[in-house]
Amino acid sequence: MGTLIQNGQVVTARETFTADVLIEGSIIREVRAGIDPTGHTLVDATGLLVLPGGIDVHTHMDMPFGGTVSADDFETGTRAAAIGGTTTIVDFAIQAKGTRMRDALDTWWRKAEGKACIDYGLHMIVTDLGSDAGKQGLEDMDDMVQEGVASFKLFMAYPNVLMVDDGTILKALQRTARNGALICMHAENGSAIDVIVQQTLAAGKTAPIYHALSRPTLAEAEAVHRAIALAEIAGVPVYIVHLSSEHALNQVREARDRGLPAFAETCPQYLLLSIEDNQTGTSFEDAKYVFTPPLREKRNQPRLWDGLRTDNLQVVSTDHCPFCFADQKTLGKDDFTKIPNGGPGVENRMQLIYHHGVNCNQITLNRFVEITAESPARIFGLYPRKGVLAAGSDADVVLWDPHALHTISAATHHMRVDYSMFEGFQVQGNARQVYSRGELIVDRGLYLGRIGRGQYLRREARGGAWQ
Ligand code: URP
Ligand code: ZN
Ligand code: ZN
């Protein structure tokens, strides 16, 4: 027989209602009030919200970057995610220049195999379409789609490392018209930023604050505009990752107002942290907040919340890419360009967005579920298997205690990193129990599942299901 979660408030993107949720095996069998309890294991969810497991579509576990490797691997990172109420991640494999995408996929499968604690999908970062006018690379993209890699990330930043030119971007976008995949863009004008960075260093400005000061919001907005224009030329949707500023958001809004399928995510760090609040300007501690796009001025925050309310931003992901302060961020002690770019957050996304979004009246409870679970599932080919509490969906279920008080701290978090970007933040609302495919994997902050139980998710390239 099954597990019957009784009397909770079930939350979907559209409604909130009192109902029971019956889990049989790994699947949700029924969601309705008054399910006959006979023979089932009963779980009393009175006073709790029953949410679909969170989906974080932007993480970097075990990623070689900036002369080091991100501090969480698939074990520590996904365990921390689960404790925070996230039951699915989509991470990024990276094609090394001059190599085949399949090599990267195999490498990332090996990283995750036997380690992932929750289900995971992979995007492919494309760095090179090959020398034969891109033919081999474009065929590789089709091959990846067959393997369930339904999305690709391309970089308009990080010249000589990950950046690709506009021709490559256009070719990749055009290919998705055939294979149904979605292109995700890191939208910053890398060449322009590089000029400013070199000028900044030449002026002797080497402290971490100059990372933020050398990456203007207009360089982000320009790249967002270009990415959307290239997608319009190709006649396909595009998804802007880690959008950080009002200027960039304006570009997405303008495109959507014209009816274009332009999508974007933002992250808790852009909604809640700022240059004013989190940068001293002089201390190397500022390096804790060196990620890309960088911290922005505080006035951007209400604009981003507004973007979430108005559906000009559809998703909140974390861009979880942790580097320890003591021995990784310090690689850039004398030169901000050598600070590994990225920050931790996968464990805290649900808490932060629930508290600062729902409790602080920025978004409704239903919108919270939509931007943390349902929309990511829809956009990235996981819906309705993931992202919703409905008959037939995977039983990824979070029993959420809306009254639980929690203070975020590196002293108590489960991510393998020696600082928290949200140190001391007090939140109300936290995951109490977490089920993944019907298995209770978290109980009050304790991970109960087997390491390596997470499964690779073959995602569907739907080429239009986003509408
Ligand atoms: O600083 C960041 N965002 N690091 C991860 C790589 C990326 O651009 O997403
Ligand atoms: Zn990026
Ligand atoms: Zn990222």
Side-chain angles (χ1 to χ4, degrees):
M1 298 307 270
T3 300
L4 185 64
I5 300 169
Q6 293 182 302
N7 306 317
Q9 289 287 300
V10 172
V11 189
T12 72
R14 267 150 297 282
E15 47 184 349
T16 307
F17 51 99
T18 306
D20 303 336
V21 178
L22 176 61
I23 299 173
E24 280 180 7
S26 62
I27 301 293
I28 296 174
R29 191 56 62 201
E30 234 186 322
V31 181
R32 72 173 163 84
I35 297 177
D36 180 0
T38 313
H40 299 309
T41 303
L42 304 183
V43 177
D44 183 16
T46 304
L48 302 178
L49 303 177
V50 186
L51 312 177
I55 301 177
D56 188 343
V57 291
H58 193 148
T59 66
H60 301 278
M61 309 300 177
D62 199 359
M63 182 176 82
F65 198 52
T68 181
V69 179
S70 61
D72 269 319
D73 64 12
F74 275 83
E75 177 183 330
T76 60
T78 58
R79 188 170 48 209
I83 290 169
T86 288
T87 52
T88 301
I89 60 164
V90 187
D91 204 270
F92 292 84
I94 308 179
Q95 176 206 23
K97 280 194 179 127
T99 69
R100 307 297 297 264
M101 293 179 203
R102 179 157 290 275
D103 298 338
L105 183 59
D106 287 342
T107 301
W108 258 262
W109 274 342
R110 276 195 300 273
K111 286 174 188 276
E113 184 71 38
K115 289 196 161 188
C117 298
I118 57 173
D119 294 348
Y120 63 96
L122 291 169
H123 315 274
M124 179 62 62
I125 291 176
V126 176
T127 57
D128 186 4
L129 285 182
S131 51
D132 52 351
K135 187 166 176 292
Q136 177 185 293
L138 296 172
E139 285 168 0
D140 274 11
M141 286 177 69
D142 297 348
D143 182 34
M144 292 299 98
V145 170
Q146 293 304 314
E147 295 289 8
V149 178
S151 44
F152 298 85
K153 182 177 178 187
L154 283 84
F155 283 80
M156 303 170 100
Y158 303 125
N160 305 316
V161 186
L162 296 168
M163 188 168 117
V164 289
D165 61 22
D166 291 348
T168 300
I169 294 168
L170 182 60
K171 281 185 204 160
L173 284 161
Q174 287 171 333
R175 195 65 168 202
T176 66
R178 283 174 48 167
N179 64 26
L182 179 65
I183 298 293
C184 304
M185 295 299 311
H186 178 127
E188 286 185 298
N189 184 324
S191 304
I193 287 170
D194 214 31
V195 169
I196 303 170
V197 165
Q198 295 316 320
Q199 291 166 345
T200 305
L201 287 175
K205 297 171 175 173
T206 58
I209 181 70
Y210 292 107
H211 173 75
L213 300 185
S214 58
R215 305 183 87 88
T217 55
L218 285 174
E220 185 183 22
E222 184 281 326
V224 170
H225 182 88
R226 189 160 27 108
I228 293 172
L230 292 170
E232 188 174 4
I233 291 167
V236 295
V238 67
Y239 180 91
I240 309 297
V241 295
H242 48 45
L243 188 143
S244 67
S245 66
E246 177 183 15
H247 281 141
L249 177 59
N250 288 344
Q251 300 300 319
V252 176
R253 181 185 301 109
E254 188 268 339
R256 291 179 64 83
D257 286 350
R258 289 198 292 120
L260 292 176
F263 303 97
E265 65 179 21
T266 190
C267 310
Q269 53 272 35
Y270 304 119
L271 291 162
L272 301 172
L273 308 178
S274 65
I275 291 180
E276 292 93 321
D277 290 344
N278 302 94
Q279 297 286 271
T280 65
T282 50
S283 161
F284 188 72
E285 294 277 318
D286 292 351
K288 292 176 176 173
Y289 305 92
V290 167
F291 40 74
T292 307
L295 275 181
R296 300 303 192 186
E297 286 166 341
K298 208 172 168 65
R299 63 186 156 76
N300 290 278
Q301 293 173 356
R303 301 278 68 83
L304 296 177
W305 284 111
D306 190 54
L308 287 170
R309 275 191 298 274
T310 54
D311 202 36
N312 288 305
L313 296 169
Q314 294 74 35
V315 172
V316 175
S317 67
T318 58
D319 195 8
H320 175 79
C321 188
F323 297 105
C324 288
F325 182 69
D327 59 351
Q328 293 185 296
K329 290 288 186 180
T330 43
L331 291 169
K333 199 99 190 105
D334 304 313
D335 175 350
F336 71 89
T337 66
K338 297 196 167 57
I339 301 169
N341 286 197
V346 75
E347 185 170 345
N348 304 123
R349 178 184 68 128
M350 301 288 280
Q351 300 157 351
L352 288 166
I353 301 304
Y354 182 84
H355 181 79
H356 291 276
V358 180
N359 290 347
C360 298
N361 294 317
Q362 294 283 6
I363 52 171
T364 65
L365 180 57
N366 305 98
R367 185 64 179 157
F368 167 72
V369 165
E370 191 162 28
I371 63 181
T372 58
E374 184 167 321
S375 285
R378 284 183 186 275
I379 292 172
F380 286 97
L382 291 166
Y383 187 88
R385 178 173 174 190
K386 307 285 191 190
V388 65
L389 298 176
S393 295
D394 279 2
D396 293 355
V397 183
V398 177
L399 301 191
W400 186 266
D401 182 349
H403 304 294
L405 296 172
H406 179 65
T407 303
I408 295 173
S409 173
T412 50
H413 74 199
H414 301 82
M415 300 175 285
R416 191 164 63 187
V417 61
D418 60 359
Y419 76 98
S420 171
M421 296 200 290
F422 304 98
E423 186 69 38
F425 272 53
Q426 295 184 333
V427 289
Q428 182 177 334
N430 206 353
R432 182 186 285 190
Q433 275 97 15
V434 179
Y435 294 82
S436 165
R437 279 180 282 103
E439 181 186 344
L440 179 66
I441 60 166
V442 173
D443 190 14
R444 292 181 168 86
L446 207 63
Y447 181 72
L448 306 174
R450 181 176 59 80
I451 305 301
R453 59 169 299 286
Q455 293 179 357
Y456 173 67
L457 294 167
R458 288 178 181 274
R459 295 181 293 121
E460 284 177 54
R462 292 188 189 141
W466 35 270
Q467 289 194 68

